Amino acid sequence: RAATVTASTPLRVGRLSRERFVALELEHPAVGLRLGEAITRAISTRLSEMTESVVQLLAERTLPRRSHV
């Protein structure tokens, strides 16, 4: 998956491979747990927002009614 992102303020980013994450969990279980929880919360929030957007789009969409035959 790829995306283009433009920051509006200076920032620092990092990348954590799965292997490094597993090593982090083994070496520092509490940190690994907190990071996993933060990632889960972020994904959950985004999924909820996307679901709400779809609900709104469907509510605004007018579908042709079936005529009885």
Side-chain angles (χ1 to χ4, degrees), residues 3-38:
T4 300
V5 177
T6 304
S8 58
T9 61
L11 60 100
R12 294 177 73 181
V13 297
R15 182 174 164 222
L16 184 63
S17 69
R18 179 164 180 76
E19 294 79 21
R20 295 288 303 240
F21 179 73
V22 170
L24 175 69
E25 286 184 309
L26 293 173
E27 293 175 31
H28 306 281
V31 174
L33 178 62
R34 290 189 66 189
L35 181 56
E37 289 173 340

Side-chain angles (χ1 to χ4, degrees), residues 10-63:
L11 60 100
R12 294 177 73 181
V13 297
R15 182 174 164 222
L16 184 63
S17 69
R18 179 164 180 76
E19 294 79 21
R20 295 288 303 240
F21 179 73
V22 170
L24 175 69
E25 286 184 309
L26 293 173
E27 293 175 31
H28 306 281
V31 174
L33 178 62
R34 290 189 66 189
L35 181 56
E37 289 173 340
I39 292 168
T40 302
R41 271 193 307 277
I43 292 171
S44 173
T45 298
R46 292 186 76 180
L47 181 58
S48 294
E49 291 168 354
M50 289 174 50
T51 301
E52 183 58 33
S53 295
V54 169
V55 168
Q56 288 177 347
L57 287 171
L58 290 175
E60 294 170 2
R61 183 176 179 189
T62 57
L63 298 174

